[in-house]
Amino acid sequence: MKRIGVTGHRDIPSEALGEIRSCLRSLLCGHDGSLEALSSLAAGADQLFAAIALECGASLTVVIPSGDYENGFADAAELARYRGLKRQATQEVRMDFPHATDEAYYAAGAYIADNCDRLVAVWDGQPARGLGGTGDIVQYARGLGKAVTVVWCDGVRRP
């Protein structure tokens, strides 16, 4: 079974969303049920990746950074998507952090990078805005020698 993990931005500009969705679909579909997708289900790229993976017939492993992770969802719709995707997961891995901190996010991202064959990064190429951000996890995965596929829309900048 092939394992593909995700790291990515929470805020995806609307003008990039269609292209990113199409690229993710191309990467995740056509594996004949032999694909495991790993995601922390954060708003934005993580949820988009997980939803497309499930649509394509992949099994989903969720990696929860902390015991209070749900408290970080300020938007009710994002929290509802998180809970819905989590219910569809075949496996849940919970990091041993009581509170959502940058260290917890980094640990979850590192776990995904450690346990995948390929990391998909929905990433604008800019440095992380905090420990555990997309740029940090891409750097970590590359340091392990993991294959990293960057998905972004050229010319689009994050807010």
Side-chain angles (χ1 to χ4, degrees):
M1 177 175 280
K2 186 170 184 171
R3 302 176 90 193
I4 299 179
V6 68
T7 186
H9 300 311
R10 291 177 189 241
D11 297 315
I12 300 174
S14 59
E15 63 268 27
L17 194 54
E19 184 173 331
I20 289 169
R21 184 178 280 119
S22 177
C23 287
L24 290 176
R25 193 169 302 289
S26 294
L27 289 166
L28 295 168
C29 290
H31 291 274
D32 300 324
S34 62
L35 180 68
E36 179 183 356
L38 293 90
S39 173
S40 290
L41 301 181
D46 286 16
Q47 289 184 1
L48 181 62
F49 171 91
I52 292 170
L54 288 167
E55 288 170 14
C56 293
S59 64
L60 177 63
T61 295
V62 296
V63 181
I64 309 300
S66 66
D68 68 350
Y69 188 52
E70 284 193 14
N71 296 342
F73 289 90
D75 182 272
E78 291 170 353
L79 178 59
R81 277 193 299 276
Y82 164 81
R83 288 178 174 162
L85 291 165
K86 186 176 166 196
R87 278 193 298 275
Q88 296 178 71
T90 54
Q91 182 177 357
E92 180 178 319
V93 175
R94 189 173 292 272
M95 300 289 96
D96 194 24
F97 290 86
H99 303 293
T101 62
D102 287 351
E103 291 77 15
Y105 296 141
Y106 187 88
Y111 180 92
I112 290 171
D114 287 339
N115 289 282
C116 69
D117 302 308
R118 171 174 303 280
L119 184 70
V120 174
V122 180
W123 182 44
D124 64 0
Q126 297 300 308
R129 294 181 178 172
L131 179 66
T134 305
D136 289 343
I137 303 306
V138 168
Q139 182 178 7
Y140 177 82
R142 286 179 172 162
L144 295 174
K146 297 283 180 162
V148 176
T149 300
V150 176
V151 174
W152 196 251
C153 186
D154 288 339
V156 176
R157 300 182 68 94
R158 258 189 320 147

